[in-house]
Amino acid sequence: MTDTTSDTSTRRGHRRRDAVALAASCTAVAATVTAAGALLHGPATPLLLCAAGLAATWPTVAGLRVRWSRRHDPAPPPSDTGAAAPVSAPGATVPAAETALWRMRTTVRDAPGSLAALCTALAAHRVDILSLQTHPLSAGTADEFLLRAPGTLTPQELTGAVSGAGGTHTWLERADAHDLVDAPARMLGLATRTALDSAELPLALRQLLGRCTIRSVPARPLHGRPAEPLPAEGVLEDHLMKFRDASGGSLIVERPQLPFTPTEFARVHALVELDRRLGQRVPPRREVLTLPEGNDLTIRRAGPDDLAAAVAMHRRCSPATLARRYHGPVGDADSSLRHLLGPHHGRTLAVETASGRLVALGHLLWDGDETEVALLVEDAWQRRGIGADLLRRLVAMAGEAGCESVYAITQASHTGMVAAMRGLGLPLDYQIEEGTLVITTRPQGEPALRTTRPATASGESPGLG
């Protein structure tokens, strides 16, 4: 394990953020809500119908993004570009041409021939257009491409060709194999994930929109006055979208590098409205953790229904334990629980005894582009490996969710948290911020969890989803 330490940090974030939002009524939502109603009246089959309903509404949204399935040939054939096929010497080995995938969006005039001129310019540079979707705007049209270009073609050359063909406000970033997935199948998967678990909505939106920041704002802020009510149709402001979530709070979606289009707004609204109509959902899966002394504890996903039990656990914790967890006035601890247990803020694991008494909570918190992990173990149950086990599970969940890094905020004197982070067996980075220790790691390569067995009392299979 490699540890690195720095006394100063330029790290941004590391704070829970608020998010404002209101659900809007869009054309695609009607069919989605109808399917969502079916889910409320049946467990399994209607769920698939609900997801299929959302996928079915997608073609009604202007400029559906069409992405083709993975192509097997790593380079465009000569017939696609007009170039003559290379002639190889007898017995010579011809290396496969290196290519790169790009996502590009550019604005063109809404006039006949504008798109043709752009495609001709791309073809001249041997660029293959894998998919294209259009976003009608008040002035012109934003065309979004998935491109396969020669590996030797630089971003400057690519954007220069587009500019020469009349494209403006061009945005370009590297793509990967996930962008080649068939669009209807992709949307069906996003809808199913959202319908099964409320905590999946932020992850689904991020997969749909690319790099963006999704923040959650509670219905009742901890400090300050409540935000002004949002209009029923939601809010779209260039780089910002706002929606109401199922808990009565709201979501803010931001993408500074690229403005949102009305088409993207309608798509996001369909998923948010599906989530709002279904209400808050937490998978009921459970696992059993056996402590060294032989006691069996149950680990499960927690949600808003656990608020009363969590507040009761706070009452049994010492002020010092609460201060190490919340890094602020102990009196604010109870107030923050309602928001922390909300599924759009992240994921929470609860540890309870055989009698159902809550003794520990582990939070995985979405913090913009980053992910925070936080633990609270009741004093009487500390130093038994519960915190270390929760931490391993949370980091593994972060890896499954595609999080690149996970950080924990603690005090240098909190040796238990530092030891638990070291116990992950992953490279760690230590940073000092205003007297607070921030420990960061990457979930990739997370070692296997401690052997567990299913909670047979509930008859449920292992795994916390």
Side-chain angles (χ1 to χ4, degrees), residues 248-335:
S250 50
L251 292 177
I252 291 181
V253 186
E254 295 178 280
R255 190 173 63 186
Q257 74 277 10
L258 184 66
F260 295 113
T261 67
T263 300
E264 290 177 314
F265 179 79
R267 294 173 178 177
V268 171
H269 175 265
L271 280 176
V272 172
E273 183 69 359
L274 171 66
D275 176 75
R276 190 179 71 84
R277 290 299 183 97
L278 295 179
Q280 297 183 3
R281 306 163 309 285
V282 178
R285 299 171 184 167
R286 298 167 180 261
E287 289 186 356
V288 170
L289 168 65
T290 301
L291 299 181
E293 62 268 26
N295 293 335
D296 283 347
L297 300 177
T298 299
I299 301 181
R300 60 173 176 81
R301 285 279 300 277
D305 293 341
D306 294 294
L307 178 60
V311 171
M313 185 182 71
H314 274 182
R315 300 288 182 268
R316 299 190 298 269
C317 291
S318 66
T321 293
L322 294 177
R324 282 196 299 266
R325 164 61 186 88
Y326 292 103
H327 317 290
V330 175
D332 292 342
D334 290 354
S335 302

Side-chain angles (χ1 to χ4, degrees), residues 177-189:
H178 295 90
D179 292 294
L180 296 171
V181 176
D182 174 71
R186 186 184 187 201
M187 291 315 308
L188 182 63

Side-chain angles (χ1 to χ4, degrees), residues 127-195:
V127 177
D128 188 14
I129 300 175
L130 302 181
S131 71
L132 164 67
Q133 69 168 324
T134 61
H135 299 261
L137 305 174
S138 57
T141 300
D143 291 328
E144 187 167 338
F145 298 86
L146 178 61
L147 305 173
R148 183 168 57 195
T152 56
L153 188 67
T154 66
Q156 293 76 15
E157 291 173 329
L158 186 53
T159 55
V162 171
S163 177
T168 59
H169 304 97
T170 301
W171 167 84
L172 183 73
E173 76 170 4
R174 290 298 293 266
D176 57 29
H178 295 90
D179 292 294
L180 296 171
V181 176
D182 174 71
R186 186 184 187 201
M187 291 315 308
L188 182 63
L190 293 179
T192 302
R193 287 174 54 184
T194 301

